[in-house]
Amino acid sequence: MAKGVLVDITRCMGCKACQVACKQWNDLPSSNPEFKDGLTSPPEMDGYNYTTVFIEVVEDKKNNDYTIRSAKRQCMHCEHPACASACFAKALQRDPKTGAVVYYPHLCVGCRYCMLACPFDIPKYEWDKQFPLVAKCQFCFDPKGKYDRLGYGLKPACVDTCPTGALKFGERDELLKEAWQRINSDPKYIKHVMGEKEAGGTAWLYISDVPFTTFGFRPNLGTQPLPEYSHNFLKWTPIIAVGWGTLLTVLYHYTKRRQKVASESNKDVHM
Amino acid sequence: MSANKGLLKEIAEYKWRFTMTTTRKILLMLAGLGVACMIFRLATGLGMATNLNDKWPWGLWIGLDVLTGVALAGGGYGTAIIVHVLHRGKYHPIARSAMLTSLLGYLLVMAGLFMDIGQWFNFWRPFVSWGHTSVLFEVFWCVSCYTTVQVLEFGEILTEKVGTKYHNAFKKALPVLMIVGIVFPTLHQSSLGALYLIMVDKLYPLWWSPYLGLFFLISSFFVGPAMICVETGLAGRAFKHEVPIHVLRGLVRISGVFMVLYLALKIYDLSNRGVFNLVFKGNLEGNMFVLELLLGVIIPIIIAFSSMSSTRKGLITFGVLVSGGLILNRMNVVFTGMSASLGGWYFPSIMEWAVSIGLISIGVLAYCFIAENFNILDHDEHHHKATA
């Protein structure tokens, strides 16, 4: 059964403990603070930040008031990951047991197609390095063991450290039930679970009382798994290769023969 | 065997020619600058040499050197179909130069790709680690195989001059190579467009289309004759060799037919997806789309089917417009169509420009060198002359 995390944006207080825990567990280097709107730091995820807590001021038009909301973003660990289907060297693979989409650096060529394919703009690149690698949240799953938590039955570092219960780790389908329970029992929630169906469904699920676009989710994310678009194209490849090759061979012999017949009957054929 | 000279000795003893002109000196300088920047980039990484960033992971090298380069090099397979499969002998005079441009184009594309990958020593990985669900996997295999096939095809021309004892073997293999060499580009010209299928929520709807692959394929086919017009125009001046107008005009008309098809499919696709109104919205995307279709397709169609295509000036105008329109189209897919969803900022760095310009210069110089030393422009297929 695939695991998941439920993010309840209404319960997040923006303490960034998850961000710190992620850095510590994954041995990621620190950097000089840089802020967006004086609140969010670092302003974006990058090659050395797998997760960022985005803090936004949201206008409440009904009460003519402002509220602050915060939410962490990281890899959504899609059930049908576009990045993994886009990778031509299998450097990104989804672990069917945990649902974690894991990066295998030794297979990576560095083409960065995954970065463009991801509908959540997650994979980042170590631009400053001589031989850069792709960087993204691994769901604290590491088949090699060093950075593994999920494999040992532990929660991801970020969830483990969250002091308010804004992050909840568990079985994805159970979390989904709980998400809808919370939504239906409290009218403040938007009637939508981000990640339930987006791009075919993701392991990380978000519920919120402010629009999801506040935290950079694309408004037009479809529900069709993105790998299907590539598959619908690639499935024609063998048919076209064989069919076109055969047609060309036939045409080659036909036109050549026609030319030969024409020249034998002493017609002036310009070659 | 002892009567035969060794291949290396034969190459060493062959009298190579390379005339120095001012243009070539400038090209050599640009090529040298490009090579220096390439070495710098490979040694220091992408961050130092380029302006690429997390929002814009693909830039000039993918957009211009790869996506556009492959399409412009598409003249080779189009000509191969017409001359070697359909045996339309009238077009023979341009076959070799078209294929040479194509070969050089692909070699440059490979070089451009090599520059763009972060783990460049790992470039061979997809040959053993099969990410077959990726469209890029098809691009990678087809471009690699096709470049190999083209090098072998060129072997037939090469062995007319050096290594002559292998000439018959290459000649015999040619028909098979030709057909394999048409299937591969057909597959990957379309898959280059299909790379963007997965970016359904990112690429602006004027360019994203379920037929994106087909659009790339058709446009790579009709740009072939346009490139031949430009190329023979230039080569005609440089090597005092003129391709008869009726030959070029015939090709331009074939091209025109496919452009009408392309235009019709575009209009059908836009109205089918209900985004036709976006064309005349007046925003950047809409205007660029109109510009691309008007200059690159509609005006060239008029030229192709009017009396204008019976003059050299008309033919060269056609060539410049269609090639320019194709470059604009690929740039629109890579940049204009993506900018709204990616945000951020990207403009190629000086080094990125230097590498791209350097690669093109190397291509032009290689073309000149080969055209001077081998039977590219003047070759008589009737008598199979060994020397010219």
Side-chain angles (χ1 to χ4, degrees):
Chain A
M1 290 304 274
K3 303 288 179 192
V5 174
L6 177 62
V7 184
D8 191 334
I9 290 173
T10 64
R11 295 188 189 183
C12 176
M13 61 177 182
C15 71
K16 299 179 185 173
C18 51
Q19 223 174 274
V20 177
C22 177
K23 280 235 171 194
Q24 288 186 335
W25 184 263
N26 292 298
D27 287 337
L28 295 169
S30 60
S31 54
N32 287 331
E34 226 184 290
F35 288 88
K36 187 176 80 187
D37 298 334
L39 292 168
T40 298
S41 168
E44 303 278 348
M45 278 169 268
D46 61 32
Y48 310 100
N49 290 293
Y50 296 169
T51 183
T52 291
V53 176
F54 288 87
I55 303 175
E56 304 286 343
V57 179
V58 186
E59 195 181 351
D60 179 4
K61 279 193 183 135
K62 240 187 273 167
N63 303 319
N64 197 21
D65 200 1
Y66 293 90
T67 46
I68 284 192
R69 283 287 176 270
S70 51
K72 106 193 240 327
R73 291 281 316 260
Q74 73 298 306
C75 173
M76 300 289 282
H77 298 279
C78 301
E79 307 212 288
H80 307 277
C83 61
S85 95
C87 181
F88 70 151
K90 284 191 171 275
L92 286 153
Q93 294 174 29
R94 181 176 182 268
D95 177 58
K97 221 166 143 196
T98 56
V101 179
V102 184
Y103 174 62
Y104 296 90
H106 68 286
L107 294 174
C108 182
V109 177
C111 72
R112 311 184 293 288
Y113 189 28
C114 53
M115 299 173 71
L116 282 167
C118 175
F120 300 102
D121 305 314
I122 295 302
K124 303 293 176 203
Y125 209 52
E126 301 172 336
W127 292 103
D128 56 326
K129 288 218 176 132
Q130 186 187 10
F131 299 119
L133 293 169
V134 168
K136 74 168 196 68
C137 158
Q138 304 272 81
F139 214 167
C140 282
F141 179 66
D142 181 2
K144 278 194 189 152
K146 190 179 177 194
Y147 297 107
D148 197 15
R149 291 178 65 94
L150 249 55
Y152 293 107
L154 296 167
K155 297 171 186 174
C158 55
V159 179
D160 213 25
T161 202
C162 180
T164 64
L167 305 175
K168 188 175 177 184
F169 178 72
E171 296 294 324
R172 183 184 184 265
D173 36 5
E174 280 166 27
L175 290 173
L176 197 57
K177 261 183 238 155
E178 184 174 340
W180 279 109
Q181 254 165 23
R182 286 193 210 174
I183 289 173
N184 290 329
S185 60
D186 193 335
K188 75 181 174 189
Y189 284 107
I190 291 168
K191 303 255 171 288
H192 184 83
V193 179
M194 172 59 70
E196 182 181 7
K197 293 183 179 134
E198 273 74 16
T202 62
W204 281 62
L205 304 162
Y206 283 71
I207 54 174
S208 170
D209 61 343
V210 294
F212 293 103
T213 47
T214 312
F215 302 102
F217 287 101
R218 293 183 189 282
N220 57 349
L221 286 166
T223 55
Q224 192 180 339
L226 294 178
E228 281 178 14
Y229 289 98
S230 305
H231 176 75
N232 285 339
F233 170 80
L234 287 172
K235 68 181 180 193
W236 295 100
T237 302
I239 304 165
I240 292 173
V242 174
W244 185 219
T246 315
L247 180 69
L248 287 170
T249 314
V250 170
L251 281 172
Y252 174 84
H253 287 293
Y254 170 72
T255 52
K256 195 168 185 181
R257 164 119 188 102
R258 209 173 61 161
Q259 227 170 23
K260 205 177 158 206
V261 170
S263 66
E264 273 167 4
S265 57
N266 276 336
K267 277 183 199 153
D268 184 31
V269 175
H270 181 70
M271 253 195 91
Chain B
M1 282 298 280
S2 57
N4 280 333
K5 283 186 274 185
L7 185 61
L8 286 174
K9 206 174 165 202
E10 198 176 354
I11 291 170
E13 281 176 5
Y14 185 75
K15 270 195 179 172
W16 301 102
R17 274 169 297 179
F18 193 71
T19 324
M20 256 311 149
T21 62
T22 323
T23 324
R24 289 185 188 187
K25 274 180 197 158
I26 295 169
L27 285 172
L28 268 175
M29 229 172 59
L30 290 171
L33 187 68
V35 170
C37 289
M38 280 187 250
I39 292 167
F40 179 83
R41 173 264 169 275
L42 292 179
T44 60
L46 285 161
M48 288 267 271
T50 70
N51 282 343
L52 295 171
N53 54 60
D54 280 332
K55 289 216 156 84
W56 286 97
W58 280 7
L60 184 73
W61 293 343
I62 291 285
L64 184 72
D65 298 21
V66 179
L67 256 61
T68 311
V70 168
L72 293 182
Y77 85 102
T79 322
I81 296 178
I82 296 166
V83 177
H84 296 285
V85 172
L86 301 176
H87 291 104
R88 305 300 295 263
K90 166 178 152 191
Y91 299 113
H92 224 130
I94 47 91
R96 281 190 170 186
S97 63
M99 287 175 61
L100 176 62
T101 322
S102 186
L103 168 66
L104 293 172
Y106 271 83
L107 290 173
L108 296 180
V109 166
M110 300 279 268
L113 262 177
F114 190 70
M115 284 301 116
D116 201 76
I117 57 174
Q119 306 272 319
W120 47 265
F121 50 82
N122 233 2
F123 75 93
W124 49 272
R125 198 57 88 167
F127 282 124
V128 289
S129 182
W130 283 26
H132 56 83
T133 53
S134 173
V135 181
L136 194 61
F137 183 71
E138 181 171 315
V139 173
F140 177 80
W141 270 89
C142 289
V143 171
S144 316
C145 293
Y146 184 43
T147 310
T148 315
V149 168
Q150 287 198 100
V151 170
L152 291 174
E153 283 176 0
F154 184 70
E156 194 248 347
I157 299 171
L158 184 82
T159 49
E160 286 175 358
K161 292 292 177 77
V162 289
T164 42
K165 63 179 167 182
Y166 304 109
H167 186 62
N168 279 333
F170 276 110
K171 237 181 129 53
K172 272 199 190 122
L174 205 57
V176 180
L177 288 176
M178 283 291 173
I179 286 168
V180 177
I182 294 165
V183 172
F184 278 128
T186 310
L187 291 176
H188 79 73
Q189 290 286 2
S190 57
S191 50
L192 276 174
L195 281 178
Y196 281 81
L197 282 177
I198 205 165
M199 298 171 216
V200 55
D201 51 342
K202 291 188 181 175
L203 184 58
Y204 197 74
L206 282 177
W207 288 286
W208 190 92
S209 151
Y211 304 119
L212 196 53
L214 195 54
F215 285 135
F216 266 55
L217 178 67
I218 303 177
S219 55
S220 80
F221 187 78
F222 70 59
V223 81
M227 276 301 280
I228 293 168
C229 287
V230 175
E231 181 198 327
T232 52
L234 292 172
R237 212 168 296 166
F239 297 106
K240 301 193 174 48
H241 169 270
E242 297 222 309
V243 176
I245 282 184
H246 75 98
V247 171
L248 290 178
R249 194 176 191 209
L251 278 178
V252 162
R253 290 209 161 167
I254 297 173
S255 183
V257 171
F258 280 89
M259 291 171 92
V260 172
L261 189 76
Y262 178 84
L263 191 63
L265 189 64
K266 270 253 151 142
I267 293 167
Y268 163 77
D269 170 56
L270 290 176
S271 48
N272 194 30
R273 284 185 294 124
V275 293
F276 200 87
N277 56 322
L278 290 179
V279 178
F280 303 106
K281 214 177 161 193
N283 57 357
L284 177 72
E285 285 90 349
N287 291 342
M288 290 298 268
F289 185 81
V290 170
L291 199 68
E292 164 197 321
L293 273 191
L294 193 68
L295 291 181
V297 179
I298 295 168
I299 295 174
I301 289 176
I302 298 169
I303 296 178
F305 295 109
S306 69
S307 58
M308 277 184 273
S309 60
S310 55
T311 61
R312 281 206 190 273
K313 222 181 205 169
L315 289 169
I316 288 182
T317 315
F318 174 90
V320 170
L321 281 178
V322 176
S323 322
L326 183 118
I327 295 171
L328 188 59
N329 169 258
R330 301 304 195 253
M331 291 294 153
N332 280 340
V333 170
V334 180
F335 299 112
T336 322
M338 295 289 282
S339 69
S341 61
L342 295 187
W345 188 86
Y346 168 77
F347 190 79
S349 70
I350 293 173
M351 265 193 227
E352 285 176 84
W353 285 112
V355 167
S356 288
I357 293 168
L359 283 173
I360 296 166
S361 309
I362 293 170
V364 175
L365 286 169
Y367 182 94
C368 292
F369 176 77
I370 294 169
E372 253 179 63
N373 288 284
F374 297 98
N375 304 327
I376 302 296
L377 300 169
D378 276 309
H379 68 104
D380 195 335
E381 200 66 17
H382 293 287
H383 307 106
H384 300 293
K385 282 180 195 167
T387 49

